[in-house]
Amino acid sequence: MPSNEAGAGHPASAGESHTEGEEHEPRVPQENGTGAPDLARSALVRPPASAPAPAPVTLRSDLRASAFDGSAALAVTAVVFAVLYARIEAKTSSTVTVMPFMADTGAFWMYFLSQAFGWSALLWAWGTVVLGLLLSGPRPARLPLSGPRLERLHRTTSLNTIALIFAHALLFAAELIHHSKDSWLGALGTTFVEVFVPGGYDSGTGRIAIPVGQAALYLALPLGLLFYVRHRIGPRTWRAMHRFVLVVYVLSVWHTLLYGTNVWYDGWFRTTVWLLQLPIAALFLMRLLRPARRSQRLRGLGEHPGSPAGWSLRLVGRVAAVGIMVVLLAVIITGRDGGRVEPPPDTTSTHNHD
């Protein structure tokens, strides 16, 4: 889900004006009136050697560059899996409260691994959004990475986020197949519908949470890959579509809060999820207040070059961003977000878990 709405600092942008095969004509030393070349004058006017054009950014190059970032994501997933597993073993996770049969860690380890991939996917999506907001809005004066390296990291975290979401969904599907009483082929078909077809999962909270997660997955894939064909669809179209990346992240958080059994109930774990949203809300507000593109700046209504409707929309966006900040602070301070405060009366599942 790469982002560079301003277009500045992108490795590909720096070389877009370069034409393959273009060469600079060498300057011929001028004569100084005596019939001999004026070498001193020619040395002063000789053009400097042009720097080599940066390598084009392609999906293949970014996939190679994402190896280190992907390894870090797998390491984080392993740590999260160990924590979730230990909490289940100690019966301190609310997952055991919701589904007591899950206390059998040996039988449901794939489910916990799916949860771990889901958490690392959410964390990598968080990092991708933060990097995108840093690139498209005002950034701190001192950052450990240069602009081009920051952009490349943004692209690699985006690709790894998509991979982590897929792993999360596939392991959840594998868990359903493993505990199904149907034949292998029948279980495969039923599970595909439940996991990948909107509306196919009809059990409890999953009737809402699963479609929300599917929407995040099916939006993340094209929005993340459209960057690599932006020259074909046009930069303006790409920028307009790329703004929906934030929607993908919101859907991912919503899916987690709805279906993540270890954050079902109010407590420090759920409050931490909301705490992570505070930097994104702050960066988003800064992005609106100080946009990189002059046309998006909010000036007086009479001074704004756009239509009154556009001015009003930008004003509403800034007011909404401030309201989101206020709500987040209230949730973090009180530890309450209107979610569940006690186990529901029925925690059974329509699936067979033998």
Side-chain angles (χ1 to χ4, degrees):
M1 293 169 273
S3 172
N4 184 23
E5 297 184 8
H10 195 286
S13 301
E16 284 174 359
S17 60
H18 174 74
T19 305
E20 290 188 8
E22 181 182 0
E23 295 180 357
H24 295 286
E25 291 291 336
R27 294 218 176 186
V28 179
Q30 302 294 321
E31 295 184 356
N32 58 9
T34 62
D38 190 346
L39 298 179
R41 183 169 179 265
S42 65
L44 294 175
V45 300
R46 183 177 299 162
S50 58
V57 177
T58 64
L59 178 59
R60 180 178 297 180
S61 65
D62 278 347
L63 286 173
R64 288 196 299 265
S66 65
F68 177 80
D69 180 67
S71 300
L74 291 177
V76 170
T77 303
V79 172
V80 174
F81 173 72
V83 172
L84 294 177
Y85 195 94
R87 283 170 57 85
I88 295 293
E89 285 281 325
K91 294 182 173 55
T92 57
S93 172
S94 57
T95 298
V96 180
T97 304
V98 178
M99 297 175 288
F101 53 84
M102 285 284 179
D104 186 355
T105 51
F108 295 99
W109 65 270
M110 277 192 295
Y111 180 80
F112 307 136
L113 187 57
S114 172
Q115 281 191 320
F117 271 103
W119 280 108
S120 56
L122 184 63
L123 183 59
W124 252 247
W126 180 89
T128 301
V129 172
V130 167
L131 291 170
L133 290 172
L134 284 174
L135 288 166
S136 62
R139 66 185 71 173
R142 293 183 180 180
L143 285 175
L145 295 177
S146 63
R149 289 188 176 183
L150 201 66
E151 290 224 16
R152 186 175 67 177
L153 180 61
H154 177 52
R155 297 193 305 271
T156 58
T157 56
S158 170
L159 293 173
N160 281 314
T161 297
I162 295 173
L164 291 167
I165 294 174
F166 262 112
H168 169 62
L170 289 174
L171 280 165
F172 181 64
E175 171 65 28
L176 295 182
I177 293 173
H178 178 66
H179 290 281
S180 175
K181 289 186 175 181
D182 297 335
S183 64
W184 188 87
L185 188 60
L188 185 63
T190 302
T191 298
F192 177 82
V193 171
E194 290 183 331
V195 177
F196 295 104
V197 177
Y201 195 94
D202 59 357
S203 174
T205 309
R207 286 176 292 183
I208 299 176
I210 296 295
V212 169
Q214 290 166 341
L217 171 61
Y218 296 145
L219 280 175
L221 187 60
L223 291 177
L225 299 181
L226 275 176
F227 170 80
Y228 301 99
V229 294
R230 69 196 185 284
H231 297 302
R232 296 184 181 181
I233 65 176
R236 180 175 297 181
T237 302
W238 174 75
R239 283 196 299 266
M241 297 184 68
H242 191 70
R243 291 188 177 96
F244 287 95
V245 168
L246 195 58
V247 176
V248 175
Y249 179 71
V250 171
L251 290 172
S252 301
V253 175
W254 188 14
H255 169 76
T256 302
L257 294 174
L258 280 176
Y259 209 56
T261 50
N262 36 30
V263 290
W264 262 28
Y265 307 118
D266 290 333
W268 70 269
F269 209 3
R270 190 177 179 94
T271 301
T272 302
V273 175
W274 288 111
L275 186 62
L276 287 173
Q277 312 318 312
L278 200 57
I280 289 182
L283 288 172
F284 182 64
L285 181 59
M286 291 177 61
R287 165 71 175 80
L288 292 177
L289 294 178
R290 296 172 55 193
R293 301 174 68 86
R294 291 185 178 181
S295 60
Q296 296 177 354
R297 296 176 184 175
L298 187 66
R299 290 170 284 184
L301 182 57
E303 303 174 0
H304 202 275
S307 64
W311 184 90
S312 301
L313 186 62
R314 290 186 174 90
L315 177 62
V316 170
R318 286 155 175 78
V319 173
V322 173
I324 291 172
M325 289 283 294
V326 172
V327 171
L328 282 175
L329 288 171
V331 170
I332 292 168
I333 293 172
T334 63
R336 299 286 299 275
D337 63 353
R340 303 172 179 88
V341 294
E342 59 183 8
D346 183 12
T347 60
T348 60
S349 172
T350 59
H351 294 281
N352 295 315
H353 301 279
D354 295 332

